[in-house]
Amino acid sequence: MAVCFSGSWFVFACGSKLGAADTARNRSMCFQTQLLCPGVIATCPQLDRDPFVFDCSTAEKKPRSMKDDNSEGGETGSDRILAFAASPSGKLVALTDDNKRLVLFECEPAWRCISIRCVVRRCTSLLFSRAEDELLVADKSGDVYSFSVVEPQAEGELKMGHLSMLLAVTMSPDDRYVITADRDEKIRVSHLRSPYNIQSFCLGHQQFVSALLVPSGRPRWLLSGSGDGTVKLWEYESGRKLQSCELEEADTQKVNLFLQNESECTIISSPDARHVAVQCERVSTLQFFSVDEDSEDKLLPHSRLVLPHCPLDVTFDPAGRLWALMDCDDEPIRVYSHRRDRWEPETESPELNRVCETFRPHWDTLEASARSSSRFDHLYKVTYDNVAAYLQKKQQRLEEQQLKRTKAQEANGSKKAKKSETS
């Protein structure tokens, strides 16, 4: 389950379906205008923006030859959406599913499928370049492929690779650097046009890195979230760590769970760069940070928002409101606005009503286990303390060797005593 905004479209991935609902505020104003001035309504472009739903189970299947060439141990994939992304302008959306298909959409002025291409391995993250001329695809084998947007039928080009599974990818605002994070705690900063030229590494996490963000208004900053329960701030061009924040849980009933399992997290930034929100998996509290105006290299804890249920994903809309998708049948989506230095829920929102009308039918058919299943539980490294056993065995060997030496010395001493007696 994941959500994001593409322009005024609220986009969600629910199982094998990608859906979108328009949240433009002036749409409700157009309906009011229609009642008063019927002749004016023809000039309102927002009235034709119907909800959009794309079902991967009915999409074009991969050619049989591609299945044979790129099969992963004979596995047969499902149609579940693994990742999706929206372009910076909100005009393009891309998704990839468990059947190793890459689907490109145009959502302005209306939704349409541009192309369906095949990827070599199952993907973990997608990203459009700022120029929106290419789409970067990171996969489970650690490779990054570049797919052309200008030539939507062209095959992908291998750009770079890691030695372990890639979990996140982002780019600098000037499209100069591509930043990748993997399961082995490494963050690599490479030149986009020549990825073999590595600019820096950002090292310091103790578990897999699953979230990367260059916050709005801070083009030289990089925020990273990890399974070790920390969010770190970097100056990514030099690889210098500026700050490390331990994520804390406000709900005392879940403190032990949070500390034992640590947690994977998601990081998002509001469009006006005032708020950075951190969502931790299986934790109902969102933590907000703000930029320290007196310091160029520091984030300040700002506030916390306790949700009624654990969030599955969160996102900001273009107006800076926070949308939270929660694991709840009665009220799966909530909208919050920042007023009087705190986040307050919106009780009456026509935009939310339109989104729920599109979202609810697909949410009700999705099994509860599929909603809350973690993508990262299997990525935590299991450590074995074999040092103590090694030291114990070593001590036993030393004691045995010492005992043998003592017996040998006693035996030699007794032999010499007998010789002296006989002489």
Side-chain angles (χ1 to χ4, degrees):
M1 297 296 300
V3 296
C4 79
F5 269 88
S6 179
S8 62
W9 291 98
F10 177 86
V11 186
F12 61 88
C14 188
S16 64
K17 298 178 181 178
L18 179 82
D22 183 27
T23 63
R25 288 178 178 270
N26 59 343
R27 182 174 183 179
S28 58
M29 295 174 60
C30 290
F31 280 113
Q32 297 175 3
T33 306
Q34 185 181 23
L35 298 177
L36 300 176
C37 307
V40 179
I41 201 62
T43 63
C44 181
Q46 299 293 342
L47 292 180
D48 297 329
R49 296 166 71 90
D50 295 327
F52 173 79
V53 176
F54 179 85
D55 192 348
C56 292
S57 63
T58 61
E60 175 187 343
K61 300 298 181 182
K62 183 180 296 186
R64 186 175 299 275
S65 59
M66 289 294 297
K67 292 182 181 179
D68 296 337
D69 294 341
N70 300 326
S71 60
E72 297 179 7
E75 296 181 6
T76 301
S78 66
D79 297 307
R80 181 172 57 91
I81 296 175
L82 300 179
F84 74 96
S87 65
S89 68
K91 296 180 179 180
L92 300 169
V93 171
L95 70 82
T96 180
D97 67 358
D98 198 49
N99 255 325
K100 293 181 280 186
R101 289 173 295 193
L102 178 66
V103 188
L104 180 64
F105 300 94
E106 181 183 49
C107 50
E108 295 291 349
W111 280 85
R112 71 180 182 94
C113 178
I114 299 176
S115 67
I116 299 180
R117 288 176 280 189
C118 299
V119 295
V120 178
R121 295 289 184 268
R122 291 181 175 88
C123 303
T124 56
S125 183
L126 302 178
L127 179 72
F128 284 94
S129 63
R130 293 287 177 175
E132 300 187 9
D133 57 348
E134 65 178 320
L135 175 64
L136 297 184
V137 177
D139 63 28
K140 291 186 176 182
S141 64
D143 295 329
V144 175
Y145 285 83
S146 173
F147 286 82
S148 174
V149 176
V150 181
E151 300 177 6
Q153 303 299 333
E155 295 184 359
E157 175 189 358
L158 179 62
K159 300 288 287 187
M160 58 182 294
H162 282 230
L163 295 179
S164 63
M165 182 189 302
L166 285 177
L167 301 178
V169 59
T170 189
M171 293 174 62
S172 59
D174 58 0
D175 279 356
R176 183 180 179 185
Y177 299 110
V178 55
I179 307 171
T180 48
D182 63 22
R183 184 183 179 181
D184 291 338
E185 309 104 21
K186 295 190 300 297
I187 301 174
R188 183 197 297 180
V189 182
S190 309
H191 289 260
L192 179 62
R193 302 308 168 192
S194 54
Y196 53 84
N197 186 3
I198 299 176
Q199 175 68 22
S200 65
F201 284 96
C202 301
L203 305 177
H205 282 294
Q206 302 301 316
Q207 284 285 358
F208 60 86
V209 182
S210 59
L212 295 175
L213 174 69
V214 177
S216 305
R218 299 286 175 170
R220 297 187 178 277
W221 279 13
L222 174 68
L223 287 167
S224 61
S226 169
D228 60 11
T230 65
V231 170
K232 298 186 186 299
L233 176 64
W234 312 86
E235 199 286 308
Y236 61 82
E237 196 167 357
S238 63
R240 182 167 63 98
K241 182 172 68 175
L242 304 178
Q243 187 181 6
S244 180
C245 301
E246 295 284 344
L247 299 179
E248 300 176 358
E249 169 55 36
D251 189 349
T252 56
Q253 295 180 355
K254 295 182 180 178
V255 169
N256 293 333
L257 174 65
F258 179 75
L259 293 178
Q260 290 173 5
N261 296 322
E262 295 171 329
S263 188
E264 175 268 334
C265 69
T266 300
I267 309 173
I268 57 174
S269 174
S270 61
D272 58 5
R274 294 177 54 195
H275 308 286
V276 174
V278 179
Q279 170 217 341
C280 294
E281 193 177 39
R282 295 185 295 267
V283 176
S284 61
T285 301
L286 300 180
Q287 302 191 48
F288 293 89
F289 297 86
S290 60
V291 177
D292 186 0
E293 299 296 339
D294 298 330
S295 175
E296 290 294 327
D297 56 359
K298 191 175 182 182
L299 285 175
L300 295 178
H302 182 269
S303 60
R304 294 181 182 180
L305 173 60
V306 180
L307 300 175
H309 303 276
C310 291
L312 302 177
D313 200 9
V314 292
T315 186
F316 285 105
D317 66 11
R321 297 180 300 173
L322 181 72
W323 293 64
L325 173 62
M326 299 176 295
D327 189 11
C328 173
D329 292 328
D330 298 331
E331 191 180 11
I333 302 177
R334 274 198 177 189
V335 183
Y336 292 84
S337 297
H338 192 256
R339 304 188 188 97
R340 295 184 293 273
D341 204 32
R342 64 178 181 177
W343 292 93
E344 298 178 353
E346 292 192 1
T347 56
E348 296 182 2
S349 173
E351 300 90 356
L352 178 59
N353 293 335
R354 287 198 299 272
V355 168
C356 289
E357 289 177 3
T358 306
F359 178 76
R360 174 68 72 175
H362 311 291
W363 171 265
D364 292 339
T365 58
L366 192 66
E367 295 182 0
S369 59
R371 300 175 190 171
S372 58
S373 60
S374 174
R375 297 183 300 147
F376 298 101
D377 282 343
H378 65 287
L379 298 181
Y380 286 98
K381 294 184 176 180
V382 180
T383 57
Y384 300 94
D385 185 14
N386 53 2
V387 177
Y390 165 76
L391 294 176
Q392 183 179 3
K393 292 181 179 180
K394 181 179 180 181
Q395 183 64 27
Q396 291 177 354
R397 290 197 300 270
L398 292 175
E399 292 176 356
E400 291 174 357
Q401 292 175 359
Q402 183 64 31
L403 181 61
K404 289 181 179 180
R405 293 193 191 98
T406 302
K407 291 182 178 180
Q409 291 175 357
E410 291 177 355
N412 292 333
S414 60
K415 290 181 180 179
K416 290 180 180 180
K418 290 181 180 179
K419 288 182 179 180
S420 59
E421 290 177 359
T422 54
S423 61

